[in-house]
Amino acid sequence: MARQLDYHTIQAIFTRFREAEPEPKGELEHVNAFTLVVAVALSAQATDAGVNKATRALFRIADTPEKMLALGEEGLIEHIKTIGLFRQKAKNVIKLSRIIVEEYGGEVPSSRAALQSLPGVGRKTANVVLNMWFKQPAQAVDTHIFRVGNRTGIAVGKTVEAVERAIEDNVPAEFQQHAHHWLILHGRYICVARKPKCGACHIRDLCPYEEKTL
């Protein structure tokens, strides 16, 4: 774990992220707020690529909670059985679809508390939906962000919640909206877990990580 970087260094890091990718996007495919909730819920302990492969056909026939309920749990399983924990995830998706229809008039709620009340939706999932669909500067900390935040000193914390707060407290406001996407992409493709690609890293000179690779 590195020490927490100062404001000016973090500002310089995110300026470079923005120059390299001005409008970073999440990689989970979706067509509306409901399909985003479902996709993120399905992505727990699974890859985005694996979820996308399963949901392309699913979302063509069930892109609203009403259509998902009509498909039913067994019908849903047929589409997502290549995804880990698919039976429990199918139960959760059907339950959350029913709640969205019965309690929210078929519309995905836009508050973190309401989103987290849905089966299978934790804080990370809620933050992804708030950020990607409702354009709120919420920080969804996954394993990539946790690693990058601590390794680089951008957001230091011993828990996911601590890293989330560190991003909110230390990353300049102008970068908050896209911060988690820049960090996820950096962790997924450059600052990987076992052998980070430091030679290809455009913030290498600003990063205090001592075990840099060639």
Side-chain angles (χ1 to χ4, degrees), residues 2-213:
R3 61 176 175 78
Q4 179 66 52
L5 292 177
D6 63 85
Y7 175 88
H8 294 293
T9 303
I10 293 175
Q11 186 177 45
I13 285 172
F14 279 93
T15 297
R16 292 186 190 179
F17 283 153
R18 183 170 62 189
E19 288 171 350
E21 185 62 68
E23 292 288 332
K25 306 292 185 195
E27 296 184 327
L28 282 174
E29 297 173 6
H30 59 283
V31 296
N32 54 31
F34 173 70
T35 54
L36 178 58
V37 171
V38 173
V40 182
L42 293 176
S43 72
Q45 299 180 50
T47 65
D48 287 0
V51 172
N52 290 339
K53 187 175 180 180
T55 57
R56 285 180 191 128
L58 171 65
F59 292 159
R60 282 197 289 270
I61 62 171
D63 60 353
T64 68
E66 294 86 355
K67 291 177 183 177
M68 192 66 74
L69 289 173
L71 181 63
E73 189 174 319
E74 291 304 315
L76 174 56
I77 284 174
E78 284 303 306
H79 285 275
I80 67 169
K81 59 187 178 183
T82 56
I83 300 174
L85 307 175
F86 65 89
R87 291 192 184 280
Q88 184 57 50
K89 289 177 180 178
K91 291 181 186 297
N92 286 337
V93 168
I94 294 302
K95 287 179 182 177
L96 71 83
S97 298
R98 184 169 291 109
I99 291 171
I100 290 173
V101 169
E102 293 178 354
E103 298 185 19
Y104 299 102
E107 299 293 327
V108 173
S110 59
S111 79
R112 182 183 287 114
L115 285 166
Q116 284 189 249
S117 73
L118 300 174
V121 176
R123 186 178 181 88
K124 186 186 82 169
T125 298
N127 282 348
V128 170
V129 175
L130 291 173
N131 182 282
M132 290 180 63
W133 191 261
F134 295 108
K135 307 304 179 185
Q136 296 182 23
Q139 307 303 332
V141 177
D142 67 353
T143 55
H144 296 301
I145 293 181
F146 187 82
R147 177 179 67 256
V148 172
N150 280 296
R151 183 183 277 171
T152 63
I154 292 171
V156 175
K158 293 183 177 179
T159 66
V160 167
E161 291 77 13
V163 170
E164 182 182 327
R165 288 195 300 272
I167 295 172
E168 293 172 347
D169 291 344
N170 295 290
V171 174
E174 64 182 300
F175 303 114
Q176 286 281 332
Q177 181 63 48
H178 294 312
H180 96 274
H181 279 135
W182 281 315
L183 292 171
I184 286 173
L185 294 173
H186 191 63
R188 186 172 288 164
Y189 298 110
I190 302 296
C191 198
V192 295
R194 294 188 178 180
K195 192 176 181 181
K197 302 173 184 176
C198 299
C201 177
H202 54 288
I203 64 166
R204 180 177 179 175
D205 59 312
L206 300 173
C207 172
Y209 183 58
E210 295 180 355
E211 301 172 41
K212 288 189 174 73
T213 60

